[in-house]
Amino acid sequence: MMRTRPLKVALLGCGVVGSEVARIMTTHADDLAARIGAPVELVGVAVRRPDRVREGIDPALVTTDATALVKRGDLDIVVEVIGGIEPARTLIGTAFEHGASVVSANKALLAQDGAALHAAAEEQGRDLYYEAAVAGAILLIRPLRESLAGDKVNRVLGIVNGTTNFILDKMDSTGAGYQEALDEATALGYAEADPTADVEGFDAAAKAAILAGIAFHTRVGLDDVYREGMTEVTAADFASAKEMGCTIKLLAICERAGDGASVTARVHPAMIPLSHPLASVRGAYNAVFVESDASGQLMFYGPGAGGAPTASAVLGDLVAVGRNRISGTTGPGASAYAALPVSPMGEVVTRYHISLDVADKPGVLAQVATVFAEHGVSIDTVRQQGKDGEASLVVVTHRASDAALGGTVDALRKLDTVRGVASIMRVEGE
Amino acid sequence: MMRTRPLKVALLGCGVVGSEVARIMTTHADDLAARIGAPVELVGVAVRRPDRVREGIDPALVTTDATALVKRGDLDIVVEVIGGIEPARTLIGTAFEHGASVVSANKALLAQDGAALHAAAEEQGRDLYYEAAVAGAILLIRPLRESLAGDKVNRVLGIVNGTTNFILDKMDSTGAGYQEALDEATALGYAEADPTADVEGFDAAAKAAILAGIAFHTRVGLDDVYREGMTEVTAADFASAKEMGCTIKLLAICERAGDGASVTARVHPAMIPLSHPLASVRGAYNAVFVESDASGQLMFYGPGAGGAPTASAVLGDLVAVGRNRISGTTGPGASAYAALPVSPMGEVVTRYHISLDVADKPGVLAQVATVFAEHGVSIDTVRQQGKDGEASLVVVTHRASDAALGGTVDALRKLDTVRGVASIMRVEGE
């Protein structure tokens, strides 16, 4: 049953992702029409630099007036791949007001203003889909939102940034230091000239906020996500990880806290056992590991970025939204009915690997162990190595709260026999 | 916006999966209602043995008359977890006729009669969902059908049977033979008393048929799937695989053939490189690796079976179908618009690892190489090992058709100097 009147689509932004979306809309037009039940017609492409040559896009469709484009009034779907907060936010709101549904790949905007955008979509009876906003083409928002809708998710553990995974994988496999691995990532195009958003965990934190909201049917803001970058991970940390049968990954972790009445979301480097499925995620790939009551452990794996994979996720959404338009309905909106509070980082409970530089003399271990005991942090294993009056002490703890561990480390720093805290790394995925 | 009239659900079958579905419908009733937009009410449970105690299920709901239950006329959703062809097929047809949508976990039925069932659902304007029918809780039908709807899938490579993966993983990690590993799987409950359906690949073949249909938007019947079990895989094969940096998995492989104008579907043991994400899928876990034009490589990983994971997949479908009922629509049906023919196994092209027992004398390698050349099969590497007048010759080929390889092996068997063909194993995932 094919409708002949086409669905009208406007494209906001025509960079790497946008031009790939436009290309596939043309080359796969028949497939898309068959899957949606109506042809799709690209009626306008809003860009900043109209003079740039865009292969395969009719120049007559190109405009610099994005506002006028979304106000046309006859649009079925607006695809927003501009990125950033403004003008994307205002354009999406205007699109809803003028009758269009929206497919977006904008993680920064969704993480910051997802709640308001969802409310606007619902008020106008429109769809807001954004599979491409988290981890490119991994395709996990739909399973999380729809397939696990009858299950209870307890934890999401993800490698959601390809740049940092490339760097950490390189450090792991070659023994390189952070700077050397970053230089290689930059040379190969895996890291941007200014890698801050990636290596300091800002990108991953935005994705963690979106994931936590969907997984737990609640609202988690960007400010609710604890964030720690991976610039201080050293070759020595990888050596320590190997001794424990672990590797190091930058993880986005969203969990139900304690009794399930609150949630936590955080991004930081962590050791995970080599036997964990996330440990073998190589290069710039991403993967998200989901633990739920009934399903147990699931993992979704795929390219974390790139024009074509992201465009594929956008087009999957385009098909779903197109089908909804034709049947006169909308898909499942953001359900935030659970309205769970977000607990502070201090209440997060996990294990820790702490490496201390200490004086090589009798009684140091006893002093250190006393400090841990006084703060209620139970020690799992201790490894001591001494040379030339200096020694290192590696302590792995049982599960303890971040607050208790923080208090322990502060007290350790005050001991005369502790020359320095070489590293503190969380141990996850056990 | 919550509707107060509940959605009426009937459950056909109350074994491991069915009782878990009923349990979660009760314990998670509020969550389900919030996610669907209406409460769900279990109004009947059809079973064969009504006297069995079923914890948590009101005995007044239990009936042995499944036909009368699906004919009630007021049902919104029928959940079929009986399994097998009949009476499940007739009951599902009757449910559609009497106004209900259907959620099924029945892979045998979907593989055999999926086309007819989809046609019946479409004719009556009902939904037919079956995420649980392939690989338990992996959650891959929805991403394949919906998220990749704007992409072109070229290949699906899956470990879709937990029993055989457990056995092969055990052989790989311990050096055990097939029988020993099977005995352990049986003792631990991973293999049934009669393991034929699993170890001979029948279960995987049914899943391959369903997957191929969804991935390529076409119809693939059970008879279209080439099937080879894994009972003849030996410890020696694993030793050979290790020398090649590979392991052995029972794979379901669905591909576009040659120019993309046809498809193939097959199940057989194969060597895959240890660097391939499927190689690290351990124990009874399942994973499906998808290659597409735009998304590149994706993998979906999870428990392949078990009551709770399968029930979770059923409930995800229940939520989706429930939402569709309330909005008066149906989800995407089976799209088979591509209507691609299925090519015979002889046209499948891949690489092969062939182990021959040969006479240990000069000229044997030349004879063998000549046979390969005569059949147009190009050799990648040869490894020769001799002892006491006997020798083994291991040949790894470049890509060749199954027909060409078959012809080669037939001719090799006729050589006086070839005492026997010890094993032939395909090499995939490169």
Side-chain angles (χ1 to χ4, degrees):
Chain A
M1 191 175 56
M2 174 74 77
R3 209 176 67 147
T4 50
R5 188 179 79 71
L7 289 170
K8 294 190 176 178
V9 177
L11 186 58
L12 308 183
C14 200
V16 177
V17 176
S19 56
E20 184 67 13
V21 168
R23 190 188 69 74
I24 299 177
M25 280 181 67
T26 307
T27 56
H28 289 55
D30 291 348
D31 279 342
L32 287 170
R35 293 171 195 182
I36 294 173
V40 282
E41 182 189 354
L42 187 60
V43 299
V45 181
V47 301
R48 268 188 308 176
R49 282 163 295 189
D51 301 332
R52 214 196 246 177
V53 176
R54 291 179 171 83
E55 209 178 324
I57 294 179
D58 180 356
L61 297 181
V62 176
T63 173
T64 53
D65 192 346
T67 305
L69 181 58
V70 296
K71 282 186 174 175
R72 279 173 59 126
D74 65 344
L75 296 178
D76 291 289
I77 303 169
V78 169
V79 175
E80 183 272 306
V81 287
I82 306 175
I85 305 301
E86 286 295 353
R89 178 171 55 189
T90 302
L91 290 169
I92 290 175
T94 309
F96 288 144
E97 284 164 22
H98 288 78
S101 285
V102 172
V103 174
S104 170
N106 193 330
K107 76 181 159 283
L109 179 57
L110 263 302
Q112 182 180 309
D113 291 314
L117 291 172
H118 275 296
E122 196 160 333
E123 194 184 311
Q124 304 284 345
R126 312 297 167 206
D127 272 329
L128 172 62
Y129 275 50
Y130 48 90
E131 183 71 73
V134 178
I138 285 198
L139 305 185
L140 91 128
I141 290 184
R142 199 173 314 245
L144 263 185
R145 172 171 289 170
E146 300 181 23
S147 308
L148 286 173
D151 201 345
K152 184 182 173 199
V153 174
N154 295 311
R155 188 140 81 128
V156 177
L157 206 64
I159 295 170
V160 295
N161 179 277
T163 304
T164 48
N165 200 57
F166 179 90
I167 295 170
L168 291 170
D169 187 20
K170 187 58 64 178
M171 291 174 74
D172 185 41
S173 59
T174 66
Y178 166 71
Q179 190 59 48
E180 187 186 340
L182 172 62
D183 290 346
E184 184 171 347
T186 309
L188 292 170
Y190 286 112
E192 297 187 40
D194 176 1
T196 309
D198 294 318
V199 301
E200 294 295 353
F202 290 100
D203 175 81
K207 292 163 177 170
I210 298 174
L211 282 176
I214 295 173
F216 305 131
H217 299 271
T218 191
R219 298 241 155 86
V220 176
L222 198 44
D223 295 343
D224 295 324
V225 182
Y226 172 85
R227 182 191 51 74
E228 203 176 290
M230 45 70 75
T231 57
E232 287 171 23
V233 176
T234 63
D237 291 329
F238 272 100
S240 297
K242 278 203 177 116
E243 280 176 31
M244 287 185 62
C246 286
T247 186
I248 297 170
K249 297 289 187 187
L250 182 72
L251 297 179
I253 304 173
C254 314
E255 325 180 87
R256 288 186 195 273
D259 53 358
S262 67
V263 300
T264 60
R266 52 196 165 111
V267 168
H268 54 69
M271 295 185 183
I272 56 166
L274 292 173
S275 59
H276 194 283
L278 285 177
S280 56
V281 175
R282 299 274 171 230
Y285 273 84
N286 281 193
V288 176
F289 193 78
V290 178
E291 295 175 18
S292 71
D293 264 5
S295 295
Q297 303 181 328
L298 300 173
M299 189 171 79
F300 304 88
Y301 165 101
T310 308
S312 172
V314 166
L315 285 159
D317 281 352
L318 186 75
V319 170
V321 173
R323 293 186 56 89
N324 291 345
R325 292 290 285 198
I326 290 174
S327 64
T329 181
T330 55
S335 86
Y337 69 86
L340 301 171
V342 181
S343 293
M345 186 62 188
E347 292 179 20
V348 167
V349 171
T350 189
R351 297 178 63 204
Y352 302 85
H353 177 284
I354 302 132
S355 182
L356 304 170
D357 294 327
V358 296
D360 188 12
K361 54 184 182 185
V364 173
L365 177 55
Q367 278 191 321
V368 166
T370 303
V371 168
F372 276 87
E374 282 169 355
H375 289 82
V377 178
S378 171
I379 292 175
D380 181 17
T381 59
V382 178
R383 206 173 58 243
Q384 207 166 0
Q385 273 182 318
K387 56 173 199 294
D388 308 334
E390 289 286 327
S392 74
L393 207 58
V394 173
V395 179
V396 181
T397 74
H398 286 296
R399 285 166 62 77
S401 75
D402 196 82
L405 195 279
T408 307
V409 171
D410 287 346
L412 287 172
R413 287 189 207 275
K414 288 179 191 142
L415 290 181
D416 286 345
T417 48
V418 172
R419 306 263 163 85
V421 179
S423 85
I424 305 167
M425 181 101 44
R426 296 177 184 85
V427 184
E428 305 284 345
E430 292 183 302
Chain B
M1 191 176 56
M2 175 75 76
R3 210 177 67 148
T4 50
R5 189 178 79 71
L7 289 170
K8 294 190 175 178
V9 177
L11 186 59
L12 308 183
C14 199
V16 177
V17 176
S19 56
E20 184 69 11
V21 168
R23 190 188 67 75
I24 298 177
M25 280 181 67
T26 308
T27 56
H28 290 56
D30 292 346
D31 278 341
L32 288 170
R35 292 171 195 182
I36 293 172
V40 283
E41 181 188 355
L42 187 60
V43 299
V45 182
V47 301
R48 270 187 307 175
R49 284 162 295 188
D51 302 332
R52 213 195 247 175
V53 176
R54 292 180 171 82
E55 210 178 322
I57 294 179
D58 180 354
L61 298 180
V62 175
T63 173
T64 54
D65 192 345
T67 305
L69 181 58
V70 295
K71 281 185 173 173
R72 279 172 57 127
D74 65 344
L75 295 178
D76 291 289
I77 303 170
V78 169
V79 175
E80 183 272 306
V81 287
I82 306 175
I85 305 301
E86 285 295 352
R89 178 171 55 189
T90 303
L91 290 170
I92 289 174
T94 310
F96 287 144
E97 284 164 21
H98 287 78
S101 285
V102 172
V103 174
S104 170
N106 193 330
K107 76 180 159 283
L109 180 57
L110 264 302
Q112 182 181 307
D113 292 312
L117 291 173
H118 275 296
E122 196 159 333
E123 194 184 310
Q124 303 283 346
R126 312 298 167 206
D127 271 329
L128 172 62
Y129 275 50
Y130 47 90
E131 182 72 71
V134 178
I138 285 198
L139 305 185
L140 92 128
I141 290 185
R142 199 173 313 244
L144 263 185
R145 173 171 288 169
E146 301 180 24
S147 307
L148 285 173
D151 202 346
K152 184 182 174 196
V153 174
N154 295 312
R155 191 142 78 130
V156 177
L157 205 66
I159 296 170
V160 295
N161 181 277
T163 303
T164 48
N165 200 57
F166 180 91
I167 294 170
L168 291 169
D169 187 21
K170 187 57 63 178
M171 291 174 73
D172 184 42
S173 59
T174 67
Y178 166 70
Q179 191 58 50
E180 186 186 339
L182 172 61
D183 289 347
E184 182 171 349
T186 310
L188 293 171
Y190 286 113
E192 297 187 41
D194 175 0
T196 309
D198 294 316
V199 300
E200 294 295 353
F202 290 100
D203 174 81
K207 292 164 178 169
I210 299 174
L211 281 177
I214 296 172
F216 305 132
H217 299 271
T218 191
R219 297 240 155 87
V220 176
L222 199 42
D223 295 342
D224 295 324
V225 182
Y226 171 84
R227 182 191 50 75
E228 204 176 291
M230 45 70 76
T231 58
E232 287 171 23
V233 176
T234 63
D237 290 330
F238 271 101
S240 297
K242 276 200 180 119
E243 281 179 29
M244 286 183 64
C246 287
T247 185
I248 298 171
K249 297 290 186 187
L250 182 72
L251 297 179
I253 304 174
C254 313
E255 318 179 273
R256 290 185 194 271
D259 53 358
S262 67
V263 299
T264 60
R266 52 195 164 111
V267 168
H268 54 70
M271 295 185 183
I272 56 166
L274 292 174
S275 58
H276 194 284
L278 285 176
S280 55
V281 175
R282 299 277 171 227
Y285 272 83
N286 281 195
V288 176
F289 193 78
V290 177
E291 295 175 18
S292 71
D293 264 5
S295 295
Q297 304 180 328
L298 299 173
M299 189 171 80
F300 304 88
Y301 166 103
T310 308
S312 172
V314 167
L315 285 159
D317 282 352
L318 186 75
V319 170
V321 173
R323 294 186 54 90
N324 291 343
R325 292 290 285 198
I326 291 175
S327 64
T329 182
T330 55
S335 86
Y337 70 86
L340 301 170
V342 181
S343 294
M345 187 62 188
E347 293 179 19
V348 167
V349 172
T350 189
R351 297 179 63 204
Y352 301 86
H353 177 284
I354 302 130
S355 181
L356 304 171
D357 293 328
V358 296
D360 189 12
K361 53 185 183 186
V364 173
L365 177 55
Q367 278 191 322
V368 166
T370 303
V371 169
F372 277 87
E374 282 169 355
H375 289 82
V377 179
S378 172
I379 291 175
D380 180 17
T381 60
V382 178
R383 206 173 57 244
Q384 207 165 359
Q385 273 183 318
K387 56 174 199 294
D388 310 332
E390 290 286 326
S392 73
L393 207 58
V394 172
V395 179
V396 180
T397 75
H398 286 296
R399 285 167 62 79
S401 74
D402 196 81
L405 197 277
T408 307
V409 171
D410 287 345
L412 288 172
R413 288 189 207 275
K414 288 178 190 143
L415 291 181
D416 286 342
T417 47
V418 171
R419 307 265 163 83
V421 180
S423 85
I424 305 167
M425 181 99 47
R426 294 176 185 87
V427 184
E428 306 283 346
E430 291 183 301

